[in-house]
């Protein structure tokens, strides 16, 4: 049981003794450390109801609690502060015990919130023949972190990727490749071929919007892609599909993601069509030659959407319907189907979910849609330093190149530099995306994101590397972690380390990685302050073994916390 829960239980028992009940109260970490390790507003919650002075009620509650404490949970002190807050001060031994738990229990960060649950989590979803854009990067980073947090809570998570392998974007790219034969160069590297396909897509997209003849040609190509009726187009399609999918796989490796399932739009469309046609007159209806779902009939906040066009073509909604049904068929007894997408997909996804809930009511409580905002640049520019439009792929390359420049004087071999630059570059991006609540837009500042100081992913990695070097020195000095002699002072970093489990639990409960991100910055700053004010691996200091144990605990917490964010921890930087 969490310490917070123990305190709440103690307060509840005291209230029962005072014959008080009927309202909820909070037990929280106070912002100012001088106000204890935990604080409660219980007296303020009940005072008005009981027509009592809050401070007097707080004094009564404390007087009732004091003799009730058992040795295991006894506080060092309990004080009434201000207008009636009750502050709890944990004993010195509590924090030493917390460090010992971190060192000795390999499951110190885990909880059982999702124990035994099967979850399929779909995220990233880039389309072959199109660039891996910023939105795909955001969705990947958020989806991977949530996957790891769910696994940490006991769930068995199956990662899924849904990709549009047919459609106008494919036709536009193939048109661009046909019009510019140099872009079909298959002798270049995988990344060069992928970039060429992206350029071809941009050509086709522009032509489709500005030239009627080109638009007509692209429409013909689109039909040929669907019916596989043209040998040349089939050949270009097969090559382009292979190249872009392999390029995505290279990016997934860099980002630390491995998918269990890949669903393709071409395979989901017929499944969705069949479902829609089977439910015409029950769920769907005909309207001007199209098949629609009048969602507002079931929920006034929703609206009508087309599922099959008057030309007989399935829309995104139909494909999404087929995808969801296929997921539940692919993973029988699935407890939750979670999808991470950009916010602009929220409206049509709600309509699909409503239609599906009527057809398969047993799925309704198992479906969850997580939406994120946009990544906006602090500079206001949406182009890279070379003047190109920023894609997720180019942003990763630019960040990595900047890190390489920063560490070139640090004495790494070329191979070491490449590895560190990749890990630190990914950390810079992931931290920037995960440091605030998922739903809002994110202002991305390139230079701040790659800083080794301040509020950044590289700062956390640097803090880990610094602590790791302390442990290496302690090893050379033969100072082993020990808890027999404790420093008189309780360090701030100790108090923060003891909160890790509850922070991770909150992130699990709310599905919000930013709780972990914000905590890690706080604990890293506290450790660096501890490091700056103390000799740690000092053989003449009787408390050195404890300080080394504290450093071990810090590295364990930081490494585990960063893992839950999808960030690696280099031992040298």
């Amino acid at each position: 049981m969490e310490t917070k829960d123990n305190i709440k239980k103690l307060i509840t028992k005291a209230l029962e003794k005072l014959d008080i009940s009927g309202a909820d109260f909070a037990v929280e970490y106070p912002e100012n450390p001088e106000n204890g390790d935990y604080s409660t507003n219980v007296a303020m919650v009940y005072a008005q109801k009981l027509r009592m002075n809050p401070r007097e009620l707080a004094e009564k509650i404390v007087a009732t609690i004091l003799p009730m404490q058992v040795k295991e949970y006894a506080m060092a002190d309990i004080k009434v502060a201000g207008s009636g807050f009750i502050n709890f001060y944990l004993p010195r031994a509590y924090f030493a015990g917390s460090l010992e738990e971190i060192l000795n229990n390999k499951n110190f960060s885990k909880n059982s919130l999702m124990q035994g649950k099967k979850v399929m989590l779909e995220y990233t979803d880039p389309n072959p023949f199109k660039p891996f854009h910023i939105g795909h990067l955001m969705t990947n980073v958020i989806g991977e972190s949530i996957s790891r947090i769910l696994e940490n809570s006991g769930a068995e998570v199956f990662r899924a990727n849904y990709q549009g392998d047919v459609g106008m974007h494919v036709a536009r790219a193939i048109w661009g490749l046909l019009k510019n034969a140099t872009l079909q160069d298959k002798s270049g590297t995988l990344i060069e071929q992928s970039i060429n396909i992206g350029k071809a897509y941009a050509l086709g997209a522009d032509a489709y919007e500005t030239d009627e003849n080109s638009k007509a040609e692209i429409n013909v190509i689109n039909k040929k892609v669907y019916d596989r009726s043209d040998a040349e187009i089939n050949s270009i399609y097969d090559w382009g599909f292979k190249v872009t999918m392999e390029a995505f796989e290279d990016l997934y490796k860099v980002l630390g993601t491995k998918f269990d399932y890949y669903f393709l739009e071409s395979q989901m469309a017929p499944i969705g069509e069949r479902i829609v046609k089977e439910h015409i007159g029950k769920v769907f209806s005909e309207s001007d030659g199209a098949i629609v779902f009048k969602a507002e009939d079931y929920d006034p906040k929703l609206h009508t959407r087309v599922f099959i066009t008057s030309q007989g073509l399935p829309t995104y909604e139909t494909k999404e319907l087929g995808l969801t049904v296929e997921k539940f068929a692919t993973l029988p007894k699935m407890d939750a189907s979670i999808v991470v997408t950009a916010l602009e997909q929220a409206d049509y996804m709600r309509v699909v979910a409503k239609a599906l809930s009527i057809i398969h009511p047993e799925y309704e409580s198992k479906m969850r849609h997580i939406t994120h905002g946009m990544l906006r640049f602090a500079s206001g520019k949406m182009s890279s330093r070379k003047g190109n439009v920023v894609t997720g792929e180019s942003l990763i390359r630019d960040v990595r190149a900047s890190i390489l420049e920063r560490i070139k004087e640090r004495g790494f071999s070329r191979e070491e530099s490449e590895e560190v630059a990749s890990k630190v570059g990914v950390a810079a991006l992931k931290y920037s995306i995960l440091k605030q609540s998922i739903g809002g837009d994110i202002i991305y500042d390139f230079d701040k994101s790659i800083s080794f100081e301040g509020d950044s992913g590289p700062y956390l990695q640097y803090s880990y590397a610094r602590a790791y070097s302390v442990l290496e020195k302690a090893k050379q000095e033969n100072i082993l972690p020990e808890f027999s002699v404790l420093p008189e002072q309780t360090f701030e970093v100790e108090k923060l380390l003891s909160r890790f489990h509850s922070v991770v639990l909150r992130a699990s409960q709310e599905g919000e990685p930013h709780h972990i991100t914000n905590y890690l910055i706080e604990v890293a700053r506290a450790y660096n302050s501890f490091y700056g004010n103390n000799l740690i691996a000092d053989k003449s200091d009787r408390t050195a073994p404890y300080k080394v144990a504290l450093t071990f605990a810090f590295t364990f917490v930081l490494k585990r916390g960063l893992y839950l964010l999808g960030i690696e921890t280099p031992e040298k930087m």
Side-chain angles (χ1 to χ4, degrees):
M1 187 182 283
E2 291 282 316
T3 305
K4 183 191 289 190
D5 296 330
N6 287 325
I7 292 172
K8 199 161 189 177
K9 191 175 176 182
L10 198 60
I11 295 167
T12 302
K13 283 185 178 179
L15 293 175
E16 287 171 2
K17 280 183 175 286
L18 294 169
D19 201 23
I20 300 171
S21 62
D24 197 16
F25 58 91
V27 176
E28 303 291 351
Y29 298 122
E31 286 186 23
N32 185 344
E34 290 181 8
N35 292 330
D37 301 304
Y38 290 93
S39 184
T40 180
N41 65 344
V42 62
M44 273 84 89
V45 168
Y46 285 101
Q48 189 174 4
K49 180 184 173 185
L50 298 171
R51 296 182 181 178
M52 286 183 69
N53 178 291
R55 190 174 177 92
E56 287 179 16
L57 180 56
E59 299 281 4
K60 265 192 167 187
I61 293 169
V62 170
T64 309
I65 286 174
L66 288 172
M68 290 170 51
Q69 295 186 90
V70 293
K71 187 177 180 182
E72 186 181 354
Y73 301 123
M75 298 293 144
D77 202 357
I78 305 174
K79 294 179 180 178
V80 175
S83 57
F85 283 98
I86 303 174
N87 298 331
F88 294 82
Y89 296 78
L90 295 167
R92 180 75 186 82
Y94 170 85
F95 298 105
S98 180
L99 294 189
E100 204 163 356
E101 171 77 3
I102 291 168
L103 265 58
N104 295 330
N105 181 2
K106 63 181 180 181
N107 296 319
F108 70 93
S109 72
K110 296 189 177 181
N111 60 74
S112 57
L113 197 66
M114 295 288 289
Q115 193 64 45
K117 302 290 185 185
K118 280 188 177 182
V119 178
M120 186 178 289
L121 206 152
E122 177 207 324
Y123 58 101
T124 311
D125 299 356
N127 291 327
F129 294 91
K130 283 181 76 174
F132 188 95
H133 63 63
I134 297 292
H136 298 134
L137 176 62
M138 288 188 72
T139 307
N140 178 276
V141 169
I142 292 165
E144 181 60 32
S145 181
I146 290 174
S147 295
R148 295 182 182 205
I149 289 169
L150 289 172
E151 286 172 334
N152 191 69
S153 297
E156 187 177 6
V157 177
F158 299 85
R159 293 160 171 80
N161 203 334
Y162 176 49
Q163 296 172 290
D165 59 328
V166 290
M168 289 306 299
H169 67 282
V170 178
R172 289 166 179 164
I174 290 176
W175 183 91
L177 290 164
L178 286 167
K179 292 296 178 182
N180 190 331
T182 60
L183 296 179
Q184 290 188 51
D185 181 10
K186 298 177 186 178
S187 63
T189 64
L190 180 65
I191 189 71
E192 289 168 339
Q193 293 180 64
S194 176
I195 289 169
N196 283 346
I197 293 169
K199 289 177 180 176
Y201 166 77
L203 281 175
D206 182 62
Y208 191 86
E209 297 300 326
T210 58
D211 182 72
E212 286 300 317
N213 289 332
S214 298
K215 183 176 181 179
E217 290 171 1
I218 291 168
N219 285 333
V220 170
I221 292 172
N222 188 40
K223 188 174 184 304
K224 288 179 177 180
V225 169
Y226 270 100
D227 58 28
R228 301 281 294 180
S229 59
D230 185 299
E232 183 183 15
I233 287 172
N234 290 348
S235 175
I236 294 172
Y237 175 90
D238 292 342
W239 165 72
F241 180 84
K242 181 174 182 291
V243 165
T244 47
M245 291 293 272
E246 286 180 356
F248 292 157
E249 286 300 322
D250 280 356
L251 282 172
Y252 302 150
K253 284 177 187 172
V254 170
L255 292 168
T257 297
K258 184 173 175 57
F259 290 100
D260 301 292
Y261 295 107
Y262 294 85
F263 296 98
L264 297 175
E265 197 174 302
S266 62
Q267 296 167 353
M268 299 306 107
I271 298 170
E273 274 188 272
R274 175 180 53 76
I275 295 166
V276 170
K277 288 175 180 176
E278 284 174 357
H279 291 85
I280 294 173
K282 304 169 193 172
V283 178
F284 304 96
S285 57
E286 295 188 28
S287 174
D288 297 326
I291 299 172
V292 303
F293 173 57
K294 296 180 179 178
E296 66 271 24
D297 291 348
Y298 301 89
D299 184 340
K301 294 178 183 177
L302 301 179
H303 55 280
T304 297
R305 291 193 78 95
V306 175
F307 275 66
I308 297 179
T309 68
S310 56
Q311 290 79 39
L313 298 174
T315 61
Y316 284 116
E317 288 82 352
T318 294
K319 295 165 188 172
E320 194 68 45
L321 191 69
L323 170 64
T324 308
V325 169
E326 183 64 13
K327 285 178 182 176
F328 280 98
T330 301
L331 191 61
K333 298 182 179 177
M334 180 163 61
D335 296 287
S337 174
I338 303 172
V339 181
V340 182
T341 72
L343 184 60
E344 59 260 33
Q345 296 187 41
D347 284 348
Y348 97 79
M349 290 284 280
R350 277 194 286 265
V351 173
V352 173
K354 177 51 68 177
L356 189 60
S357 72
I358 300 164
I359 299 166
H360 285 286
E362 70 275 20
Y363 296 166
E364 186 171 13
S365 64
K366 297 180 179 182
M367 294 185 294
R368 184 181 172 203
H369 185 204
I370 297 171
T371 58
H372 61 78
M374 304 286 286
L375 187 71
R376 304 188 186 281
F377 290 82
S379 63
K381 296 178 181 178
M382 284 300 290
S383 60
S384 71
R385 297 182 177 200
K386 295 179 182 177
N388 303 315
V389 173
V390 174
T391 63
E393 191 174 358
S394 66
L395 185 57
I396 292 169
R397 287 200 305 271
D398 283 357
V399 170
R400 187 175 171 280
S402 294
I403 297 292
L404 267 174
E405 183 66 24
R406 289 196 173 205
I407 63 173
K408 68 180 182 181
E409 304 297 330
R410 299 202 174 191
F412 291 125
S413 67
R414 182 177 175 181
E415 188 177 323
E416 286 173 331
S417 293
E418 295 280 345
E419 184 181 351
V420 170
S422 287
K423 289 179 180 179
V424 177
V426 168
L429 289 168
K430 288 194 173 191
Y431 181 87
S432 297
I433 291 168
L434 295 173
K435 71 178 181 178
Q436 69 179 50
S437 185
I438 289 171
D441 288 353
I442 292 165
I443 304 300
Y444 177 70
D445 187 306
F446 188 97
D447 292 322
K448 285 182 180 177
S449 78
I450 61 173
S451 172
F452 283 36
E453 298 175 0
D455 189 11
S456 72
Y459 172 77
L460 291 176
Q461 291 176 311
Y462 183 72
S463 300
Y464 177 85
R466 167 181 274 177
Y468 188 85
S469 70
V470 170
L471 296 177
E472 288 293 291
K473 184 181 177 186
K475 192 175 176 182
Q476 291 167 9
E477 296 288 334
N478 199 29
I479 304 172
L480 302 176
E482 254 285 354
F483 297 88
S484 55
V485 182
L486 308 183
E488 286 185 21
Q489 177 188 1
T490 302
F491 303 105
E492 183 191 0
V493 65
E494 290 179 82
K495 294 189 174 189
L496 289 171
L497 289 170
S498 72
R499 299 178 186 179
F500 181 59
H501 184 273
S502 63
V503 170
V504 173
L505 179 62
R506 184 181 179 189
S508 306
Q509 290 167 332
E510 298 179 15
E512 287 282 4
H514 79 277
H515 293 306
I516 297 172
T517 314
N518 296 341
Y519 164 82
L520 292 180
I521 277 291
E522 196 178 353
V523 79
R525 285 172 178 157
Y527 178 79
N528 287 325
S529 175
F530 165 76
Y531 171 89
N533 293 313
N534 291 274
L535 283 173
I536 299 170
D538 178 9
K539 289 198 86 168
S540 65
D541 180 3
R542 291 178 65 243
T543 66
Y546 183 80
K547 291 173 181 174
V548 168
L550 188 158
T551 301
F552 263 113
F554 170 71
T555 60
F556 288 1
V557 163
L558 196 55
K559 185 167 189 170
R560 186 63 186 173
L562 287 172
Y563 170 82
L564 294 175
L565 301 176
I567 295 173
E568 293 189 67
T569 44
E571 293 170 355
K572 292 181 182 179
M573 277 180 67

